[in-house]
Amino acid sequence: MDDSDDDIPLASLDTKHIVPPSPPKVKKETNASPTKASNGSIPKKVKSAPPPPPDDGLTADERAYKEKLKAIKKFAKLEKKAKKEKKRQKQEKEKKRKLSPASGGVAKKPRGPAKARAPPGPKVAKALDKTARFASAMKAFLWWDAPVLPPGQQWRTMEHGGVAFPEPYEPHGVGVTYAGEEVRLTPEQEEAVTFMAGMDPNGMHLGNEKTRKIFVDNFFKDFKKLLPKGSKIKEFGKLNYSKITEHLNTQKMVKKAITDAERARNKGLKDSLNFKHGYAIVDGHLEKVGNYNMEPPGTFRGRGEHPKMGKIKQRVVPEQVYMNFSADAPPPICPVRGRAWGEVRHDPCVQWLGNWKENINGQDKYMQLAAMSSFKGKSDRSKYNKAARLCGNIGNIRKDYKKNLTAKDRGLRQLATAMWVIDRLALRVGGEKDTDEEADTVGCCSLRVEHVTFNPNDEEGSFEIELEFLGKDSMLFKQTVDLGSELYNDDNGMGTQVYKNFKAFCQAKKPSDDIFETLTPTILNQHLGGLMPGLSAKVFRTYNASVTLQSELQKKEAAPGWSSLTVAQKVTEYNAANRTVAILCNHQRTVSKAQEAGLQALEEKVNTLVEQKKVLKKMLKIIQAGGAAADSLPLKKSEAEMKESVASMLEKAKKMKEAATTNEEKVAATEADIAAKKARKDLGSSKFSQAHLWESKPTAAQVAGRISLWTTKIATAQQNLKNKDDNKEVSLGTSKINYMDPRATVAFCKRAEVPIDRVFSRTLRDKFNWAMSVPGEWMFDAEVGKEP
């Protein structure tokens, strides 16, 4: 091939950085190994005369510049050849891979030769946006290496941007009727009715007959306070706000018709608000603020059958808010024009940045740093270290309560029985509640006779009890415990004695009477504090969760075949250990409609894969048998037309959004977008339904390879389905966030060579950054408890 550079146009080269060089220096010629003369001396170097310049009419500078251009062109040509060769090798390798039987595929036509490109410029590092730069700055601060503050002091200096308030209410003017007559509402009244109109009538609050009555009664009671004296609105059932509901549904459709430019503008406004209020400077380093947005007004939802659900949450104004920051820091500017903060404090002994009271329960609400902050990190580490300290004291504590399980004094027996339940069954301590103000949730000390059923299966000689009550967040605790089993009696576990005590404590009592009438959480915690400084009932849950996780993981790692498991299988085993902890701590969750739909889709996927594998096996038999039947195998249908239709629908919806100006046009654009996305989803389903087929007749080797591939796919999908189905009613996240020592998980991942991001989300990795450096041999034990 000719090495001439005439085929590379000069315009294609980047010459803007080329500067005509200065006249070239002539190098002196040197001999590599000078020879000696006959008299032994080295002859002097003879300077050779420079060659005469060619008679081309160019100056020396112009000539050098031309030579440099020629060299650049030659380099570009060589680079182009090298790229071509590299691409050819890659295509050849890909072609061989696709033709191999294991891939189950057919060869595709190679693409044509690549177009000539200009030589690549220097690589430039990707520029970080402001959020990424802030995140990097926060990660750079290692609070566990920072100097320790005096006891009780949380910070030396603190500066922040204060609370962000929701926009004031803008009346929509949509009317309501009462007993068929139009009623005019004030903006405050209209806002309250709009809260109710936005509720899902089939949701968890209004869809349940019992909770609906509580919700409606509370709402209407508060709504009547907004009405003037003599108002004709007397009954909620005669109030018709269906037009407001229709208006809200229309507004949802209008909001969905947002264009890319509007979405980018909204993101910019959101980021601007975040940079103003979402960060604080504490002791000279950057920290993320957790909740800088003030809660908007609305209807109080609560959990379970909360007695106050439906009440109207009032709008909080700046005068109700206290701000806390250091005295030498600039005060946060109140974002509501014409208003001011209620009070300013400079208290370094508290962690909160802002404080106010809500009107439903009169509770204090706080603006605090985020879960990934140094404040929360110190608190978490201290909590887990205290639980680890229990490892060295648990023997004496169990000895204490076992001794008192048979004490003559009823108070001591009740104390010991409650300690046994908290330790072995991981119940919360509980406490008395005003059921007119709070939901009737129960813990160990507040158990009533009605919550316990003895011998629920009516078996002779049984030591089973069934516990059924609403626990924290109104989650149902329903568990049958066999106190006569080896689990609760081995090593002097005294499970049968606990059963006898429960029976004795329930005798001659009404169902509404307390089982532990002599016991309160205060008495219990004072006794525990005497056994180990700082010990309270809630430490047992953290201890039991961490010990159970570590024990379950050790069992799995010691099982035969552990080393041969894949990363995905090890993650499944970790989730099983996590699930054991969640069940122990009664961490449940309600299965949502989205979860049910996801499980159904996953089950359908498994069934489709199984059917496709059956088709592949039939195809293999036909091909191996030969004959005319092999020419009529099912082939993949072209999806080009459907792809084109979907692309056209998406493009049309996008143009409709950009052109829409009225609400009617925006609703039409949203409907077109929904239809286009459904068509795209159908296209994906169509692709999946024939993913096992070929466009042309396959070979037996290709079909055999695809059968093997489908076997792996089916196993993976079935495992995924089982894992999700097992965990659908169990909240694994609660245990990870609050109860299991994160260092046990990190150590396991290092031992098992499982990437930490397979078990900890990014949020958890940021929250527990202090735990990431522990070695694989780390153990949750008494030695950890010696750390601060």
Side-chain angles (χ1 to χ4, degrees):
M1 190 174 181
D2 190 351
D3 286 337
S4 170
D5 51 38
D6 294 336
D7 59 336
I8 302 179
L10 185 60
S12 67
L13 299 172
D14 185 8
T15 59
K16 62 183 178 181
H17 300 298
I18 301 174
V19 180
S22 55
K25 295 179 181 179
V26 180
K27 288 187 178 181
K28 297 178 181 179
E29 290 186 4
T30 57
N31 293 325
S33 54
T35 55
K36 294 183 180 181
S38 57
N39 59 1
S41 63
I42 298 174
K44 292 181 181 180
K45 295 178 183 177
V46 179
K47 292 182 180 179
S48 58
D55 188 14
D56 52 9
L58 298 176
T59 64
D61 285 353
E62 290 172 338
R63 196 176 296 111
Y65 182 61
K66 185 179 179 182
E67 289 295 323
K68 192 161 189 175
L69 281 179
K70 187 175 181 180
I72 290 172
K73 287 181 182 180
K74 190 168 184 178
F75 172 77
K77 184 173 181 180
L78 291 171
E79 188 177 41
K80 179 182 172 184
K81 284 172 67 177
K83 281 185 178 179
K84 259 178 143 178
E85 179 60 22
K86 188 175 180 181
K87 188 169 184 179
R88 188 194 64 76
Q89 290 175 356
K90 187 178 179 181
Q91 287 176 339
E92 191 66 29
K93 187 177 179 182
E94 182 69 11
K95 185 178 177 181
K96 286 180 180 178
R97 187 190 71 79
K98 289 188 176 181
L99 285 172
S100 64
S103 70
V106 294
K108 291 185 179 179
K109 293 181 180 179
R111 293 180 181 177
K115 295 180 180 179
R117 293 181 182 177
K123 287 187 177 180
V124 181
K126 185 180 178 182
L128 298 176
D129 61 16
K130 194 172 182 179
T131 304
R133 293 199 303 274
F134 276 29
S136 297
M138 288 186 289
K139 288 178 181 178
F141 174 64
L142 309 179
W143 58 260
W144 50 93
D145 291 335
V148 179
L149 294 172
Q153 186 174 350
Q154 304 295 334
W155 47 267
R156 290 190 177 91
T157 63
M158 182 163 68
E159 178 184 345
H160 58 87
V163 185
F165 291 88
E167 292 293 322
Y169 178 70
E170 292 184 9
H172 47 67
V174 180
V176 299
T177 60
Y178 183 77
E181 294 182 20
E182 287 277 345
V183 178
R184 296 191 66 178
L185 301 176
T186 65
E188 191 178 14
Q189 295 162 2
E190 182 190 278
E191 183 181 26
V193 175
T194 302
F195 295 153
M196 195 67 182
M199 294 288 295
D200 182 0
N202 300 313
M204 61 182 295
H205 297 94
L206 299 182
N208 180 300
E209 190 175 330
K210 187 175 181 180
T211 55
R212 176 183 170 80
K213 186 178 186 313
I214 300 170
F215 197 98
V216 168
D217 288 349
N218 284 332
F219 169 79
F220 196 59
K221 185 178 178 181
D222 280 0
F223 178 65
K224 284 194 293 186
K225 294 175 185 177
L226 304 176
L227 299 174
K229 287 183 179 180
S231 172
K232 61 182 179 182
I233 299 177
K234 304 293 184 184
E235 298 177 30
F236 179 80
K238 294 181 180 180
L239 186 66
N240 187 341
Y241 46 78
S242 58
K243 288 184 179 179
I244 297 181
T245 302
E246 290 174 12
H247 167 75
L248 294 176
N249 291 336
T250 300
Q251 289 303 305
K252 286 179 185 177
M253 296 290 281
V254 169
K255 286 180 181 177
K256 288 180 181 178
I258 187 171
T259 63
D260 292 342
E262 289 171 331
R263 187 176 285 107
R265 186 162 55 250
N266 290 346
K267 184 180 182 302
L269 293 172
K270 185 179 177 181
D271 288 345
S272 177
L273 191 70
N274 182 43
F275 295 136
K276 183 178 179 181
H277 298 279
Y279 297 90
I281 300 175
V282 181
D283 293 340
H285 63 269
L286 201 64
E287 295 269 21
K288 188 82 177 71
V289 177
N291 55 328
Y292 59 84
N293 281 315
M294 177 61 67
E295 291 182 10
T299 49
F300 177 69
R301 311 296 173 91
R303 294 178 184 269
E305 297 176 9
H306 199 289
K308 290 191 175 183
M309 66 167 65
K311 290 183 70 64
I312 297 174
K313 287 194 299 180
Q314 296 171 0
R315 187 179 295 271
V316 178
V317 296
E319 284 78 6
Q320 297 173 251
V321 180
Y322 295 173
M323 284 285 107
N324 188 34
F325 53 93
S326 52
D328 58 347
I333 298 170
C334 179
V336 183
R337 186 168 294 183
R339 311 299 289 259
W341 304 120
E343 189 177 317
V344 167
R345 295 185 182 179
H346 311 296
D347 187 357
C349 296
V350 297
Q351 295 182 356
W352 56 265
L353 287 67
N355 164 243
W356 63 93
K357 277 189 185 293
E358 51 86 26
N359 69 293
I360 302 296
N361 297 306
Q363 293 179 341
D364 282 304
K365 295 283 187 176
Y366 297 97
M367 172 187 174
Q368 294 182 314
L369 296 183
M372 61 182 288
S373 68
S374 59
F375 287 3
K376 186 60 177 169
K378 291 172 186 175
S379 174
D380 283 342
R381 188 177 68 171
S382 176
K383 176 181 74 174
Y384 292 118
N385 287 350
K386 183 190 287 187
R389 208 174 305 141
L390 189 53
C391 293
N393 293 276
I394 193 66
N396 291 333
I397 292 168
R398 286 174 176 166
K399 186 177 178 181
D400 174 81
Y401 71 62
K402 286 177 182 178
K403 176 187 68 177
N404 292 328
L405 282 172
T406 54
K408 292 183 179 179
D409 182 77
R410 186 179 179 88
L412 269 180
R413 275 191 294 133
Q414 288 197 352
L415 174 67
T417 304
M419 288 172 64
W420 189 98
V421 169
I422 287 169
D423 178 24
R424 300 302 302 272
L425 302 184
L427 260 64
R428 289 184 174 87
V429 65
E432 289 188 15
K433 292 188 176 183
D434 183 351
T435 53
D436 291 333
E437 296 292 320
E438 298 178 79
D440 183 21
T441 57
V442 175
C444 180
C445 292
S446 52
L447 280 171
R448 299 191 292 271
V449 176
E450 61 187 329
H451 298 139
V452 180
T453 303
F454 296 95
N455 192 11
N457 296 317
D458 197 22
E459 296 177 355
E460 188 176 349
S462 171
F463 288 94
E464 286 186 342
I465 62 170
E466 183 183 75
L467 296 171
E468 183 175 0
F469 54 87
L470 291 180
K472 185 180 178 183
D473 296 333
S474 296
M475 295 304 296
L476 177 67
F477 182 99
K478 186 174 183 179
Q479 189 174 329
T480 300
V481 183
D482 184 3
L483 294 174
S485 66
E486 294 180 0
L487 176 65
Y488 298 114
N489 288 279
D490 282 354
D491 193 24
N492 193 29
M494 301 187 74
T496 54
Q497 183 61 47
V498 171
Y499 179 88
K500 293 174 184 176
N501 286 356
F502 263 105
K503 268 233 164 182
F505 299 153
C506 291
Q507 280 180 353
K509 286 184 179 179
K510 295 182 292 185
S512 59
D513 289 342
D514 289 337
I515 294 175
F516 301 109
E517 76 279 0
T518 66
L519 193 62
T520 65
T522 304
I523 294 172
L524 178 61
N525 285 328
Q526 283 177 347
H527 180 75
L528 292 174
L531 297 172
M532 184 187 108
L535 181 63
S536 63
K538 66 180 181 181
V539 178
F540 279 89
R541 285 174 67 81
T542 309
Y543 164 80
N544 279 314
S546 300
V547 166
T548 302
L549 175 72
Q550 184 167 268
S551 172
E552 289 295 311
L553 291 176
Q554 286 174 338
K555 288 178 190 174
K556 294 180 185 302
E557 290 177 275
W562 170 260
S563 58
S564 62
L565 295 183
T566 63
V567 169
Q569 290 170 327
K570 289 177 181 178
V571 170
T572 301
E573 294 299 320
Y574 173 86
N575 287 337
N578 189 355
R579 184 165 54 252
T580 302
V581 175
I583 292 170
L584 173 70
C585 296
N586 194 41
H587 293 152
Q588 301 180 41
R589 64 179 176 183
T590 305
V591 182
S592 66
K593 292 179 181 178
Q595 275 182 294
E596 289 177 350
L599 284 170
Q600 186 178 352
L602 201 52
E603 189 174 354
E604 289 172 1
K605 179 182 177 181
V606 172
N607 293 337
T608 302
L609 288 170
V610 170
E611 290 301 317
Q612 288 174 342
K613 184 180 175 182
K614 289 179 181 177
V615 172
L616 288 168
K617 285 185 173 181
K618 288 179 182 177
M619 289 173 66
L620 183 60
K621 285 183 180 179
I622 292 171
I623 293 172
Q624 288 173 339
D631 296 326
S632 58
L633 292 173
L635 299 177
K636 186 180 288 188
K637 296 176 183 177
S638 175
E639 294 159 352
E641 189 176 334
M642 195 172 178
K643 283 181 184 178
E644 189 177 337
S645 173
V646 169
S648 175
M649 289 175 72
L650 289 169
E651 184 62 27
K652 182 182 176 182
K654 184 179 179 181
K655 287 179 179 178
M656 287 176 69
K657 284 182 180 182
E658 291 171 349
T661 53
T662 65
N663 283 352
E664 290 77 10
E665 290 173 343
K666 289 179 179 180
V667 169
T670 300
E671 290 172 346
D673 188 55
I674 292 170
K677 286 176 179 176
K678 185 181 181 303
R680 183 171 62 186
K681 186 178 179 182
D682 292 342
L683 174 61
S685 300
S686 174
K687 282 183 178 180
F688 179 66
S689 67
Q690 54 178 356
H692 60 303
L693 302 177
W694 287 262
E695 292 178 356
S696 57
K697 180 183 172 182
T699 63
Q702 288 172 341
V703 177
R706 192 155 288 185
I707 290 171
S708 175
L709 182 62
W710 251 238
T711 302
T712 306
K713 282 188 173 187
I714 290 168
T716 304
Q718 286 174 335
Q719 187 176 28
N720 192 17
L721 176 62
K722 181 181 182 303
N723 196 26
K724 289 192 174 182
D725 189 54
D726 289 344
N727 297 330
K728 67 181 179 183
E729 294 180 348
V730 180
S731 176
L732 301 183
T734 306
S735 308
K736 286 181 184 178
I737 294 168
N738 295 315
Y739 292 96
M740 302 186 311
D741 193 316
R743 292 170 290 190
T745 296
V746 173
F748 163 77
C749 286
K750 289 183 178 180
R751 290 194 305 271
E753 297 183 343
V754 172
I756 189 67
D757 60 2
R758 296 294 298 272
V759 294
F760 271 2
S761 64
R762 183 174 180 176
T763 303
L764 285 181
R765 296 198 301 274
D766 288 341
K767 174 180 168 65
F768 296 131
N769 54 0
W770 54 272
M772 295 299 153
S773 61
V774 297
E777 59 273 13
W778 184 92
M779 296 291 290
F780 182 83
D781 54 24
E783 287 300 311
V784 174
K786 295 177 182 178
E787 299 173 13

